Every structure is written in structure tokens, then in C-alpha cells.
Amino acid sequence: MASLPLRFLLSAPNLDALGPSRAEVAVVGRSNVGKSSLINALGGSDKLALVSKTPGRTRLLNQFAVGELGTLVDCPGYGYAKASQTLRHSWQKMVEQYLLTRPQLVCILALVDGEIGPTKLDVQLLDWLRAEDRPFAVVATKHDKVKSSQREKRKRALAEGCEVAPSEVVWVSAHKGVGVDRLRGLILERLAA
Ligand code: GDP
């Protein structure tokens, strides 16, 4: 499958500053989960998500066009150890409001580190998405970091920790390209629905 036609549009400090969209997919995950690497892999360019790492933009919603089909929003990574409680709280509120009320949102890709499994914060986020009845999909990252002999077991444990069926977890490697086409397909399907 071809790369997704991703093009950076803007960085928004809040929901109201986002650009128009037909349909939108959001990407969320704790910092270091592999979010930027994955967005670059989806778009087939190692520069796409650079913007999401630019100081001053790490707390913003970074919106990309997916061709003419819709948009993709890279949400600020949660769980920055260095952030003060107050700051963490203000981003959290902004991201929560976005995830809860953006009318165009058709799917939230919740990233979980495939090497270490879901953290307490990941589980909290998933519980909250479920309680709020928001559409989400669990994406495990760093497939290549787990030995092939351990992968089946790891996938089952990860799915159990996230309270989803193993078949529902899309496990990707941004570095090796594993699962990236499957995720591209899922994004295109949700945007086109
Ligand atoms: P972000 O903070 O969530 O945007 O995470 P990054 O994309 O910056 O990745 C965090 C770290 O994990 C970096 O050192 C990446 O090289 C590494 N990483 C990300 N994806 C993969 C992957 O698929 N395989 C491996 N082995 N490392 C990865």
C-alpha cells in the first residue's frame, strides 16, 4: 500500500483553533511511545512529525491533512516526567475536551508500547475512552523490539491489559514497517466511512 498522503496543516493551542475537517483520526500516547516515528512511517517521510517535536509545539494539537479524505491530529504526549502537575493538568484538559467533543473524530488511535505493555496511564486513558463511549483502536508499537518467540504471548498480555481482543490490536514497527499497511488501511477505512 502507498504511504498516506500526509501534509502538515497547523498547530492548535485548543480545539477551536483546529482547521476544518471532513473526518478526523487522532493519535494519542505517552511520550516516547513511538508516536512521531509512527506518523512518519504512515506518511513515508522522516520529517513529518518533526513539527510535533518542535519546542513550543509539543503541547499543541498538530493537524495533518490526509489527502482530501480528512485529517489526522497528533495529540500532545501525556506523562512527561518533567512537566509540573499544573501544566500536565492544563494539557490534559485541552486534550480531553478535544477527544470528547470534536464532532469530526471518527477514531482515536491509542498507542501502547509493545515492548513494555500498557502503563497505568495508558489503562486510565483506555478506561476513560470506554466510559465516554469514544471510538478507539489500540495500536501497539515497537514490534521489532520483542523477540519473535515472545510475540504471541506478549500480544495476548497486552490485549488483556488493554481489555480488548488480541485480534483488535494493531501491532506495528515504525522501524521495520511491520503492521504499517494494516494501520494505513484502518485509517483510510475510518476516514472514508
Ligand atoms: P514519541 O515521543 O512518542 O513521539 O516517540 P518517538 O517516535 O520519538 O520514539 C521514541 C523512541 O522509540 C525513539 O528512540 C525511537 O527511535 C524509538 N522507536 C519508535 N518506534 C520504534 C520502532 O518501531 N522500533 C524501535 N526499535 N524503536 C522505535
Side-chain angles (χ1 to χ4, degrees), residues 29-40 49 52-53 74 77 80 111 113 115 141-145 172-177:
R30 62 165 185 78
S31 52
N32 227 37
V33 72
K35 193 156 52 75
S36 307
S37 305
L38 181 59
I39 290 171
N40 287 339
S52 311
K53 295 255 170 189
D74 180 12
Y80 277 93
L111 270 49
D113 194 313
E115 189 187 18
T141 58
K142 307 183 188 177
H143 179 272
D144 61 287
K145 280 200 159 187
V172 298
S173 165
H175 286 191
K176 303 283 181 197

Side-chain angles (χ1 to χ4, degrees), residues 60 82 131 147:
L60 305 175
K82 287 195 202 110
K147 276 196 207 144

Side-chain angles (χ1 to χ4, degrees), residues 1-2 27 40 42 55 60 99 114 127 134 153 176:
M1 186 185 282
V27 190
N40 287 339
L42 289 168
L60 305 175
L99 295 174
D127 283 347
R134 304 305 287 150
K153 202 171 133 199
K176 303 283 181 197

Side-chain angles (χ1 to χ4, degrees), residues 11 35 39 41-42 66 98 111 117 122 126 159 178:
S11 298
K35 193 156 52 75
I39 290 171
L42 289 168
V66 187
Y98 164 69
L111 270 49
D122 296 333
L126 292 169
V178 176

